[in-house]
Amino acid sequence: MEIVQRRDAATMLPIINDHVAPGTVIHTDEWAAYNRVGTLPNVSSHSTVNHSVTFVDPVTGTHTQAVESYWNRCKTKLKRMKGCVAHQVPSYLDEFMWRERHGTSRRLAFTNIMRDIAAQYPVP
């Protein structure tokens, strides 16, 4: 996740391109900024769903429910914090993404952070 000042194509497309691996398949809603996602060099396929009609395209099965759910979990985490300092929001997002990937429990988070620290700073 990345905080952006604008949600237009000029802002979004370079960010999307920088964060996707070659051959990536992308599913989006029909927000105008996403119209040219399929032209990005790393994107092999781009399909859309029209949310004013349905949330899952009945022909292609395209949906954005996974990313909507991910963003909802992030917002819930930030709300549980009962506010946050604006300039620290990027670090809160980083922590959220790390915990989603590596630390779904306190014990697992501790084990994985210690593993990551040991990998980053090996003892000679």
Side-chain angles (χ1 to χ4, degrees):
M1 282 189 272
E2 186 167 328
I3 297 171
V4 295
Q5 296 302 315
R6 298 184 56 164
R7 294 183 299 155
D8 61 353
T11 302
M12 301 296 288
L13 294 177
I15 294 169
I16 293 168
N17 193 60
D18 289 347
H19 288 84
V20 297
T24 297
V25 174
I26 295 183
H27 306 285
T28 67
D29 57 20
E30 292 187 350
W31 181 260
Y34 300 140
N35 286 347
R36 295 191 326 263
V37 164
T39 67
L40 296 173
N42 289 340
V43 177
S44 67
S45 173
H46 175 227
S47 57
T48 63
V49 61
N50 183 343
H51 282 158
S52 66
V53 175
T54 186
F55 289 101
V56 179
D57 186 290
V59 176
T60 65
T62 299
H63 64 83
T64 59
Q65 292 170 328
V67 72
E68 298 287 348
S69 175
Y70 191 79
W71 177 232
N72 187 52
R73 289 192 308 276
C74 183
K75 290 189 296 186
T76 299
K77 170 69 174 167
L78 294 175
K79 287 176 186 175
R80 277 195 305 246
M81 294 170 59
K82 301 204 189 305
C84 53
V85 181
H87 74 274
Q88 291 182 334
V89 170
S91 68
Y92 297 146
L93 293 176
D94 289 343
E95 178 188 358
F96 172 80
M97 291 184 293
W98 187 89
R99 285 183 181 276
E100 281 277 310
R101 191 172 294 144
H102 303 290
T104 52
S105 70
R106 286 183 176 194
R107 170 173 253 154
L108 191 55
F110 180 77
T111 300
N112 286 329
I113 194 73
M114 296 307 288
R115 181 203 64 219
D116 290 351
I117 290 169
Q120 184 68 33
Y121 303 102
V123 177

